[in-house]
Each structure stands twice: as C-alpha cells, then as structure tokens.
C-alpha cells in the first residue's frame, strides 16, 4: 500500500485506507452461550404463593475485576498476563477491569489490550499515582494503530518513565480523569497510522503529540501544549489548547463546552465502594478535580445490583423495579427482552466493556422520559436477528424538559457485525430532550466475522428526535444509508468523525432518490436551528472505486442551521465526494487524500 506524506513532525505518515484493506488480524472467537438464572420449581397447588425475594445490593465484583493495592505482590506479572490474553483478541470474549486502590505504585507498565479498562479508585486522579506508564501501542498489528479499539484509562496520575506516555488508540478508547505528569504521545512506535480519539477531564502537564492521528477530540481539560494536526483536531473547554485556525492547521477550538457532566466512576471511601456522580456544568472549562473534592454526589455500592454474566434480562429489570441501580461487571450478557430504565436518576454503569447482546431482535436497553439517567461504560453488540433499534433514550412521544438534569450517554459503544453476524435497522435513537451523548462510537463493522453489505445490514447509525440534544465526541461509521439523522430542534454537535460504508457494491446500492449517496450527517428539512463544529466524513469505496458521494453533510439552507469547520476526504481516491455540505465545497479528486473543507456554512 502506498504511503501519503502529511504536514507533521518526524516524517509521520497519513492513511489512505484506515483499516479494512489490512483486514482483521485479531482473534474472532464466538461469544459463548451464557445461561440465565433458573426459576424455582412450581410449588404444590395447595401451598401459599411465595413472594419474590428482594435482590441484594452490593457484593463481590467478580473474577474479571482485578483489584490491586500498592502492597500487592506480582502486579506487573498480572498486568502482563491480561495483556497477553487481550493484546490481539479484537473480537474475543475476554473482558477485564483493572482497579488500583489509592496509593503510589512504582515501576509499572500497564499495557492495555482489547476490552481492558484500568482505573484508580480515588476521588481524584492524584490519589492513585503510578511512577510508570499506561501504554497502548500497535506491535500486534505491525505498527498500525487504526484498530486499537475498546480500551480505557481513567482516574490515574502517571509519571512516565521516559517523560512521555504512549496512548496510540483508535475509536472507543477514552482517556478520562487522567493526570499525566509529563507528555502524551498519541502515535504508535514508528509513527504508523492512527485514528482516534478522545480525552476528557484530564490534565497533561507536558505537550500532547498526536503525530499520525487523523482526528481527535479533547474536552474540558488542560494541556501544556499541542504539537501538530492532520485532518481534524477539536477542543472545547481546554486550557492550553491551540487557537482556532481551521483549516491550516485544522484546529477547531471552542473556549468552553456548553453543557457537560462527567461520567460516573467507582471509588473507595475507606473500605467501602461507592459510585461518584459528577454534577452538571455549563460553559465548562478545565478539569473537575483540579482544586479540591470534585462536585457531585455519590451512591454506596449497596444501592447497585452487581450483575454478573449469565444473569437474565428479567432479573436486571427486577433489580431496577426494586429501586436498585445496575453495575455490569465485565463479561457478555445475552438479553431476551430489553433492559427497561423507568426511574429518574438511575445509573447503569459497565466495567471492563461489559457487553449486551440482544439475541432475538429485541432492543437492548430503553429508558423512560425521566430526569437524570446515566448510561455509561458498556458495549451493545447486535445479535443475528435484526433489531429495529439497539438503544432508545426516551419513548417516541418524549417531550418533557430535562434542562436541569439531563440524561447522559457516555462511553456507550454499539457494534453491528465483526464478532459475528449482526443486524439492526437503527442503532441509537435519542427521543428525550436535553440528552448529552458524550463520546460514542457506533460502528457497522468493516472487518471481522459476519461482515457484508447485507450480512451485517444496518441502515442508520444514530437518529435524534429530541430537541436540545448535545453530542460531544460523535463517532459513527459505515452504515448502509444515513449515519446520523437529526430531526430535533436546537441540536448541537462538537466533533464528528465518520467513514461511509466501504462495501457498497455499486452506485445503485447507495442511490438516494435522485441524490448520489446518503449524507453522513443529515439534518432534517423541518429543522430550523442546529449547529455543528469540527465535523469530518471520509469515503473509501474499495469494492467500487467509481462511486460518487454527492456530499458528506446535508441540511436545510436556513440561517439557523450553521456548521463550522467541515471536511470530506477521499481515502486514496477510492470513491469521491462532489461537495462538502449541500452544494457547497469543492469536490475531492484524484488519489491525494487531501481534505476538501468548508470553514463556515451557510
């Protein structure tokens, strides 16, 4: 494959075709069948009817949550053991959360593979200090970091051995509530291809070097500097961020984030596990933890049903009905009915990429139109029977205002295909007003098992029906039709990354009436107010490189619908865009992999 030069240090290379051309080199072990809880045998007809026993709250976190303290022996050996298992297990079944109690840890290098999360258990990142590194690199994939998905680091302070920590990730790999006492390198060893990524509520004392990273979003953080940019670097509420300069260099910088509320996290209060619930902020800038105790509330673990793989959806719903929150420990959960969240303020928190699979075409999770639901830290994997939806926030008729206490969807990732054949008509539907979608990757797989134009059919990625919805860090890729459809009024998106489906067999397969291709991001004609900053769409039509995509973005041409800093890219000339947004923007052309940009629309 040819290399394409780009404007960055150290002769870093750009990417003509992000992932699929190299195939999937990870394990594709199928998910095991996990048994639900059995129900007791029927009592004799003469016996009184037994009342269901209340489900307990709290309890053990299970075998795949591994907890260390500074006195634990063999920490490095255990970290290495998990990494060896997970390094290339891209579609495997292993799931792990590595949790470190507050204190200081010396000489560690925690290398993270697939479905592995590492987190400190203090209220502040500085409570759990590693004199060492938390590393993601790409040796398993010949120095290519574009498939380093599904791993995370949270709530730790790092003093890197070399002065710079390496975090060479792609999608679905958040770096949250981290303090790096040094620099952060977002590229793999050798500066090979990379396609991430997301940082929030973090402080990097030194400079961040994205090098080969094509795009990146950083929110409500502090950085000592930023080295370069490739296609699309977006900042909101980041102290030390580079000034607005898109497209040369391609920095999109907002001084603050309009509304944010950080992800819930597990911590220790003495010997008691609790879940901290950060408060909502408006016009946020910088971290939540830099000066004293973070603002928010907390819940004891005894108010959570601690779920283990094998539990039934009926039991999860019984726990919710009983008034418990859900803590999903690492593993795979097969569902024969939706998880139904009806109570305001309910928390559903996953550890170690806990994975929900709807087996029979059901929706994996639904919420009522209530205040303050927090969904965080889990993966939904479509099952082989088509689901009309996979995640629904609020019912179709949702209309209540949640301005003061919105629902948040954070580090909730959706996958159709890859680990096996899966189908879903629309992956995520947001009906409730004021919902904040903070970092999601909604992915119709382009490689792995069960992949094909009809095999993992998924027409739509995200549909937003609710008004006043905010998306911060929106990654949506490869859907058969529209990747994002936005029907709600006053919607806002800060950072969007998209690739159109690689595998369209021909032009006719994506014909949208008299329009060539479905836009990646479509704002409905009925919308009068909408705004987006730092949005990018890429095409790589490798099955039929003659395909033409009319535009990446489509919206009503009205003063209230505004876009800032848009780009489209043809990867290596495999297909082309005619325009960027509507009829505006120059076409892509040739094989140069140079973006076509629009700074402001209309």
């Amino acid at each position: 494959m040819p290399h394409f030069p780009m404007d960055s240090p150290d002769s870093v290379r750009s990417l003509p075709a992000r992932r699929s051309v190299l195939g999937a080199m990870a394990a594709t072990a199928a998910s095991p069948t996990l048994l639900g809880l059995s129900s007791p045998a029927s009592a004799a007809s003469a016996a009184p009817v037994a009342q269901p026993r209340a489900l307990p709250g709290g309890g053990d976190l299970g075998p795949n949550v591994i907890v260390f303290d500074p006195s634990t022996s063999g920490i490095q050996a255990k970290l290495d053991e998990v990494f060896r298992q997970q390094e290339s297990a891209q579609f495997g079944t292993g799931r792990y959360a590595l949790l470190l109690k507050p204190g200081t840890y010396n000489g560690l290098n925690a290398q993270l593979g697939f479905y592995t999360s590492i987190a400190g258990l203090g209220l502040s990142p500085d409570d759990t200090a590693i004199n060492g590194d938390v590393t993601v690199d790409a040796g398993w994939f010949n120095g290519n970091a574009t498939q380093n998905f599904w791993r995370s680091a949270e709530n730790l302070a790092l003093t890197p051995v070399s002065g710079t920590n390496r975090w060479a990730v792609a999608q679905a790999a958040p770096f949250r509530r981290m303090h790096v006492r040094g620099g952060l390198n977002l590229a793999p060893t050798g500066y090979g291809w990379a396609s991430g990524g997301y940082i929030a509520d973090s402080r990097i004392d030194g400079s961040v070097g994205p090098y080969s990273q094509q795009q990146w979003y950083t929110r409500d953080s502090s950085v000592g500097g930023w080295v370069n940019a490739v296609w699309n670097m977006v900042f909101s509420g980041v102290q030390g961020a580079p000034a607005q300069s898109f497209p040369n260099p391609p920095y999109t910088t907002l001084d603050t984030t309009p509304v944010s509320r950080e992800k819930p996290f597990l911590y220790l209060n003495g010997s008691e596990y609790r879940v901290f619930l950060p408060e909502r902020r408006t016009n946020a800038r910088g971290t939540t933890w830099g000066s004293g105790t973070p603002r928010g509330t907390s819940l004891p673990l005894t108010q959570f049903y601690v779920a283990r793989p094998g539990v039934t959806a009926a039991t999860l719903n019984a726990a919710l009905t009983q008034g418990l929150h859900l803590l999903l420990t690492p593993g795979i959960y097969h569902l024969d009915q939706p998880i139904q969240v009806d109570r305001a303020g309910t928390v559903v928190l996953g550890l170690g990429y806990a994975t929900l699979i709807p087996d029979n075409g059901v929706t994996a999770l639904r919420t009522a139109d209530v205040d303050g639901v927090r969904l965080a830290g889990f993966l939904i994997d479509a099952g082989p029977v088509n689901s009309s939806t996979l995640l629904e926030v609020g019912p179709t008729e949702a209309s209540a205002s949640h301005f003061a206490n919105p629902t948040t969807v954070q580090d909730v990732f959706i996958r159709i295909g890859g680990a096996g054949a899966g189908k879903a008509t629309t992956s995520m539907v947001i009906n409730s007003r004021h919902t904040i979608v903070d970092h999601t990757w909604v992915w119709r797989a382009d490689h792995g098992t069960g992949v094909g134009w009809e095999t993992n059919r998924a027409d739509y990625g995200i549909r937003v029906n609710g008004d006043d919805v905010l998306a911060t860090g929106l990654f949506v890729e490869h859907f058969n039709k529209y990747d994002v459809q936005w029907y709600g009024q006053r919607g806002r998106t800060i950072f969007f990354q998209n690739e159109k489906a690689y595998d369209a067999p021909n032009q006719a397969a994506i014909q949208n009436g008299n329009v060539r291709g479905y836009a990646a991001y479509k704002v409905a004609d009925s919308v009068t107010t909408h705004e987006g900053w730092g949005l990018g769409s890429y095409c790589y039509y490798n099955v039929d490189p003659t395909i033409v995509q009319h535009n990446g973005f489509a919206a009503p041409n009205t003063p209230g619908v505004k876009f800032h800093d848009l780009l489209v890219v043809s990867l290596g000339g495999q297909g082309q865009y005619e325009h960027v947004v509507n009829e505006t923007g120059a076409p892509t052309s040739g094989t140069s992999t140079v973006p076509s940009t629009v700074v402001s629309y209309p």
Side-chain angles (χ1 to χ4, degrees):
M1 178 183 302
H3 298 157
F4 293 81
M6 65 186 189
D7 182 19
S8 61
D10 301 306
S11 301
V12 186
R13 296 167 304 182
S14 178
L15 173 63
R18 281 233 329 270
R19 297 190 275 272
S20 68
V21 291
L22 297 175
M25 300 182 67
T28 55
S31 301
T33 300
L34 299 173
L35 302 177
L37 299 178
S38 59
S39 57
S42 300
S45 57
V49 177
Q51 295 300 310
R53 192 165 65 183
L55 292 164
D60 185 80
L61 297 177
N64 289 348
V65 176
I66 303 170
V67 181
F68 304 104
D69 65 48
S71 65
T72 302
S73 62
I75 297 177
Q76 187 65 57
K78 187 62 179 178
L79 296 174
D80 292 345
E81 177 189 343
V82 173
F83 178 64
R84 281 193 299 272
Q85 178 180 319
Q86 299 301 115
E87 180 183 12
S88 60
Q90 183 173 175
F91 299 112
T93 59
R95 304 285 188 274
Y96 290 93
L98 310 173
L99 304 182
L100 281 68
K101 294 181 180 180
T104 299
Y105 298 77
N106 292 312
L108 295 183
N109 181 17
Q111 299 183 83
L112 299 186
F114 288 96
Y115 315 109
T116 305
S117 299
I118 190 168
L121 288 169
L123 261 182
S124 165
D126 290 331
D127 294 339
T128 310
I130 296 177
N131 292 317
D133 297 79
V134 172
T135 301
V136 177
D137 207 343
W140 75 278
F141 201 39
N142 299 316
N144 178 350
T146 62
Q147 293 184 24
N148 281 349
F149 314 137
W150 304 305
R151 63 201 77 197
S152 67
E154 297 185 50
N155 207 26
L156 293 165
L158 307 177
T159 303
V161 170
S162 71
T164 300
N165 189 78
R166 186 180 302 278
W167 185 255
V169 298
Q171 288 78 0
F175 197 79
R176 289 186 181 268
R177 292 179 57 79
M178 295 290 287
H179 182 191
V180 181
R181 296 166 176 162
L184 188 64
N185 184 341
L186 304 179
T189 299
Y191 300 96
W193 299 326
S195 181
Y198 176 90
I199 294 171
D201 200 22
S202 293
R203 188 168 91 204
I204 293 88
D205 294 343
S207 290
V208 179
Y211 301 113
S212 53
Q213 285 286 354
Q214 296 161 339
Q215 68 279 315
W216 200 276
Y217 175 50
T218 307
R219 178 182 64 71
D220 299 356
S221 293
S222 173
V223 299
W226 196 272
V227 171
N228 74 296
V230 179
W231 291 339
N232 193 31
M233 300 284 154
V234 180
F235 308 84
S236 68
V238 178
Q239 297 165 341
Q244 169 71 31
S245 58
F246 187 92
N248 187 27
Y251 294 135
T252 298
T253 302
L254 287 72
D255 190 57
T256 62
T257 304
V259 187
S260 62
R261 189 175 68 193
E262 298 303 330
K263 176 177 173 284
F265 62 92
L266 192 68
Y267 75 103
L268 276 172
N269 180 26
S271 60
E272 176 198 21
Y273 282 108
R274 298 182 70 89
V275 173
F276 192 81
L277 308 177
E279 72 172 14
R280 170 182 170 273
R281 297 199 292 169
T282 58
N283 299 317
R285 182 171 172 81
T287 67
T288 64
W289 50 268
S291 54
T293 303
R295 297 175 66 88
T297 59
S298 69
L299 297 169
L301 195 64
T302 54
Q303 292 185 23
F304 285 77
Y305 179 70
V306 179
R308 300 275 197 95
V311 70
T312 62
T315 299
L316 296 173
N317 283 327
L320 291 168
T321 300
Q322 189 178 305
L324 294 171
H325 306 272
L326 296 182
L327 186 73
L328 305 174
T329 64
I332 296 173
Y333 297 76
H334 286 260
L335 306 174
D336 61 0
Q337 61 180 274
I339 298 171
Q340 183 66 45
V341 178
D342 291 329
R343 190 178 73 256
T346 299
V347 180
V348 180
L349 177 60
L351 301 179
Y353 288 82
T355 301
L356 307 177
I357 301 179
D359 284 330
N360 53 0
V362 301
T363 298
L365 190 148
R366 289 191 176 112
T367 77
D369 191 26
V370 295
D371 273 357
V373 172
R374 303 180 195 232
L375 308 177
F378 55 89
L379 170 66
I380 299 174
D381 206 352
V385 177
N386 185 73
S387 294
S388 60
T389 60
L390 293 171
L391 174 66
E392 295 179 18
V393 178
T396 302
E397 66 276 10
S399 60
S401 173
H402 306 292
F403 172 78
N405 192 6
T407 286
T408 44
V409 181
Q410 299 177 285
D411 300 349
V412 173
F413 308 118
I414 294 178
R415 179 174 67 195
I416 303 96
K423 293 185 178 183
T425 304
T426 306
S427 290
M428 183 185 297
V429 179
I430 308 294
N431 293 316
S432 287
R433 292 181 61 192
H434 299 104
T435 298
I436 300 172
V437 181
D438 176 45
H439 190 225
T440 188
W441 184 38
V442 182
W443 185 56
R444 175 181 169 264
D446 60 271
H447 62 268
T449 302
V451 172
W453 185 248
E454 297 296 342
T455 305
N456 62 329
R457 183 84 194 188
D459 282 352
Y460 309 109
I462 294 181
R463 178 174 176 140
V464 178
N465 296 320
D467 294 341
D468 307 293
V469 171
L470 171 65
T472 51
L474 192 60
F475 299 74
V476 189
E477 297 189 302
H478 303 149
F479 286 84
N480 295 75
K481 294 185 178 179
Y482 290 118
D483 299 275
V484 173
Q485 297 172 287
W486 208 297
Y487 291 86
Q489 297 287 354
R490 298 175 299 280
R492 293 173 291 183
T493 295
I494 304 173
F495 182 89
F496 171 67
Q497 186 264 323
N498 165 262
E499 285 182 343
K500 295 303 299 175
Y502 293 171
D503 56 343
N506 49 51
Q507 188 77 50
I510 60 164
Q511 192 67 20
N512 181 15
N514 60 357
V515 178
R516 296 204 279 188
Y518 291 81
Y521 189 106
K522 166 66 174 173
V523 180
D525 293 343
S526 58
V527 172
T528 58
T529 306
H530 186 91
E531 197 158 10
W533 297 262
L535 315 182
S537 177
Y538 319 153
C539 74
Y540 182 73
Y541 288 116
N542 63 325
V543 175
D544 182 358
T546 69
I547 288 175
V548 174
Q549 175 81 28
H550 183 65
N551 50 33
F553 304 90
N557 188 9
T558 182
V561 176
K562 304 174 184 179
F563 292 105
H564 314 273
D565 301 356
L566 300 175
L567 69 136
V568 295
V569 182
S570 169
L571 301 177
Q574 304 294 293
Q576 302 291 344
Y577 292 91
E578 292 181 308
H579 301 286
V580 180
V581 52
N582 293 346
E583 310 303 314
T584 299
T588 57
S589 61
T591 60
S592 58
T593 315
V594 173
S596 178
T597 62
V598 168
V599 174
S600 181
Y601 183 88

